[in-house]
């Protein structure tokens, strides 16, 4: 199993993290979150070190995943950016504000409590934009602020699961960002 392989390769690191800081289940949830969005998990040392660094702040697997993603920015950039240029869809500041204002906490973590009609407007705007861009031969990624990324991805994942949603903090500094559209409520 995964943990046994990790214990063999990185005994000190695994002993530092499991079970004192995080459970095996919590680590598996983070790895599952990464794989679900096509993020490579080969750099397991960076992943475990990041989990060790941030587990004192939160045990929420989704938030831990976000911290790991930021540390894996080189791998994410290599995975989703062709060359040094990214064609991106951004979110209108109004949508980012709606998402930020809707974040709620419960015992299972955080979530965005957005009215279904608002979610539908956001989805409709995104689908129209993606379809228009696909007709032009453009396969964009969505680029958001770091705190909004996970909530926006959750809003669209059942609808447009193939569309990568990245945050500004997940791109290497040399990437040239070209906006090809904005998700709006208008």
């Amino acid at each position: 199993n995964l943990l046994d392989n990790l214990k063999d390769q990185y005994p000190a690191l695994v002993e530092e993290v499991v079970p004192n800081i995080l459970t095996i289940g919590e680590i598996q949830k983070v790895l599952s979150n990464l794989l679900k969005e096509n993020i490579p998990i080969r750099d397991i040392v960076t992943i475990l070190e990041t989990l060790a660094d941030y587990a004192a702040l939160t045990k929420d697997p989704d938030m831990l995943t976000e911290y790991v993603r930021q540390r894996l920015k080189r791998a994410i950039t290599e995975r989703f950016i062709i060359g040094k240029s990214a064609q991106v869809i951004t979110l209108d500041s109004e949508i980012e504000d709606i998402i930020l204002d809707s974040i709620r906490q419960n015992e299972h973590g955080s979530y965005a409590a957005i009215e279904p009609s608002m979610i539908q407007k956001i989805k409709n705007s995104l689908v129209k934009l993606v379809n228009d861009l696909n007709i032009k031969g453009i396969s964009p990624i969505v680029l958001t602020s770091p705190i909004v990324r996970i909530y926006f991805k959750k809003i669209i994942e059942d609808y447009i699961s193939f569309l990568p949603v990245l945050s500004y903090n997940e791109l290497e500094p040399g990437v040239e960002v070209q906006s090809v559209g904005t998700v709006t409520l208008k």
Side-chain angles (χ1 to χ4, degrees), residues 16 18 27 32 39 76 81 84 87 91 93 104 110-111 131 133 137 141 145 177:
E16 178 189 341
V18 181
I27 293 170
S32 173
I39 306 297
I76 289 173
I81 309 302
K84 283 288 183 187
Q87 293 180 310
L91 303 183
S93 61
R104 304 288 180 269
S110 57
Y111 63 96
N131 287 340
L133 290 168
I141 61 172
S145 65
V177 175

Side-chain angles (χ1 to χ4, degrees), residues 18-166:
V18 181
N20 304 330
I21 298 175
L22 291 170
T23 66
I24 295 167
E26 289 166 327
I27 293 170
Q28 286 177 325
K29 178 68 174 146
V30 170
L31 295 175
S32 173
N33 286 348
L34 294 168
L35 291 172
K36 189 165 81 174
E37 290 195 59
N38 293 313
I39 306 297
I41 61 169
R42 286 184 298 266
D43 189 356
I44 198 73
V45 171
T46 298
I47 293 169
L48 289 175
E49 286 174 346
T50 305
L51 292 175
D53 291 346
Y54 288 98
L57 297 176
T58 182
K59 297 286 190 232
D60 180 348
D62 291 336
M63 289 297 105
L64 290 171
T65 302
E66 293 304 299
Y67 290 122
V68 170
R69 288 175 62 103
Q70 291 177 24
R71 290 264 180 97
L72 294 175
K73 69 177 156 189
R74 179 181 298 138
I76 289 173
T77 298
E78 288 172 2
R79 177 86 174 98
F80 295 104
I81 309 302
I82 294 145
K84 283 288 183 187
S85 179
Q87 293 180 310
V88 304
I89 293 172
T90 57
L91 303 183
D92 184 84
S93 61
E94 183 182 7
I95 292 176
E96 288 217 357
D97 290 344
I98 287 168
I99 293 171
L100 287 171
D101 292 343
S102 74
I103 297 172
R104 304 288 180 269
Q105 294 281 127
N106 67 19
E107 66 275 4
H108 303 294
S110 57
Y111 63 96
I114 302 174
E115 291 180 29
S117 62
M118 185 62 66
I119 289 175
Q120 196 58 50
K121 285 180 185 176
I122 293 169
K123 287 178 180 178
N124 290 346
S125 176
L126 179 65
V127 167
K128 182 181 180 334
L129 198 49
V130 169
N131 287 340
D132 291 348
L133 290 168
N134 283 339
I135 288 168
K136 296 175 185 173
I138 298 171
S139 297
I141 61 172
V142 176
L143 194 61
T144 72
S145 65
I147 195 150
V148 167
R149 193 208 77 78
I150 187 157
Y151 303 106
F152 186 77
K153 181 62 179 177
K154 285 183 178 190
I155 288 169
I156 68 159
E157 71 186 345
D158 293 337
Y159 210 65
I160 310 179
S161 59
F162 64 87
L163 188 65
V165 179
L166 307 180

